[in-house]
Each structure stands twice: as structure tokens, then as C-alpha cells.
Amino acid sequence: MSEHDYWWEPPLAGTEEAHLVGALDRLRTTFRWKADDLDADGLSARIGASALTLGGLLKHLARVEDVTFNWKLRGRAPGPDWDESLLDDTDHWEFTSAAEDSPEFLYGLWDGAVARSRERLASILEEGGLDQPAHLEWPGRGHLSVRRVVFDLVEEYGRHTGHADLLREAVDGRVGEDPPSGWRPVSGGG
């Protein structure tokens, strides 16, 4: 077994920055594994009374990636895939609108957003590290740090990876905490 077999694992011993980014990437990878290699029916499957689907989660987390690394950290529009009016989180249209999207579109949307986010975060960290202020401000209290915004994204992925665990098990029985050794995405550009 080599570290290439488990490329998503954070370092065994590293800096705070390496562990934070590593934890985020591990959650991203686990989420992607839970959502991988499904057709439209699998991506739109629901359990119980919940409207959540794996396709909806792919679209939602793609939006969260672009909003986080463009608007929350830099004050920039979220990007060409998103209408700026969607910065208001009161309407989670992406959860329901994903049913109209093809699996190829949803996988590509998420994969592209994550690739852009990795580049943006690397650039932000190079410019000033985790302690620099983000664009996002808590009125009356000040700007959040880059560290806080990235930790918030780790929390977001933790919550939705748990949802993905339940949804995927209901679709085809896939269970497990981590992808198997050597796993790579099958669907989309991965």
C-alpha cells in the first residue's frame, strides 16, 4: 500500500494549512465517491420525506464552492454558472432543479467548481495565509478570516457527505467511510 493508493488522505504530520486543506479535500473525495457512477435515476433518487438527491447535492456543492471562493473570500461574482442573485441562500433551487440536468452536466459542474476552488484557495493562501480577512463580513463584528470561511466549507461538506452516505446506500447499497484503495472518479471529468 502506498500513499498514491489513498491520494485523498491529509498529511500524517503537517502544518495547520496542510491539514485544513487536506481535510477539505478528503471530504470532497468521499462525497464524490458517494455520488460517482450513477445514471439520472440514481442521481434523482430520494429517501423518505426528504427532497435531497445526490444530483441536487452535486449542484448545491458546486454552487457553494464557487460562491465561497469567489464571493465570500474575494467579493467577486460567483462565476458564469451562477446568477449573482443566487448569493441569497433562502432559495435552494439547485436541490430541485438538478432533476432537469444530465448526469454528465452535474458531474462536470461539480468537478469544474472544485478544480477552480483548489486554484483559487492556493492563490489566496500564497498571498497571505489563513489569517487574512475574507470579503465576507459579519455586520457589527468584522470580517471573517480565510480560516473561518474554509472551516465553514469543511462543515458544509461534512453535513452533506453524511446525506450522501444515506442516499447512496438507498440507491445501490454502496457503504463505507472512504473510497477503496486507488479509487478515481468513473463519471465526469473527475
Side-chain angles (χ1 to χ4, degrees), residues 33-36 38 164-174:
W33 173 60
K34 293 293 182 173
D36 195 39
L38 292 172
D165 281 337
L166 295 171
L167 288 163
R168 185 58 186 249
E169 185 175 5
V171 169
D172 66 4
R174 178 179 283 181

Side-chain angles (χ1 to χ4, degrees), residues 86-151:
L86 301 175
L87 292 176
D88 177 1
D89 284 339
T90 58
D91 179 20
H92 294 290
W93 64 270
E94 66 271 20
F95 287 117
T96 54
S97 68
E100 301 164 16
D101 299 319
S102 71
E104 295 78 19
F105 174 80
L106 292 169
Y107 290 123
L109 184 69
W110 187 87
D111 290 340
V114 169
R116 289 187 298 275
S117 293
R118 285 182 175 130
E119 290 174 11
R120 290 176 184 135
L121 181 57
S123 175
I124 289 166
L125 293 174
E126 222 174 78
E127 293 170 11
L130 294 170
D131 292 323
Q132 64 185 304
H135 167 74
L136 188 61
E137 184 175 3
W138 190 329
R141 292 188 60 194
H143 288 268
L144 282 68
S145 69
V146 169
R147 176 185 286 103
R148 166 62 191 268
V149 173
V150 175
F151 266 111

Side-chain angles (χ1 to χ4, degrees), residues 1-7 181-182:
M1 173 176 16
S2 77
E3 68 183 59
H4 299 294
D5 293 334
Y6 298 94
W7 52 269
S181 171

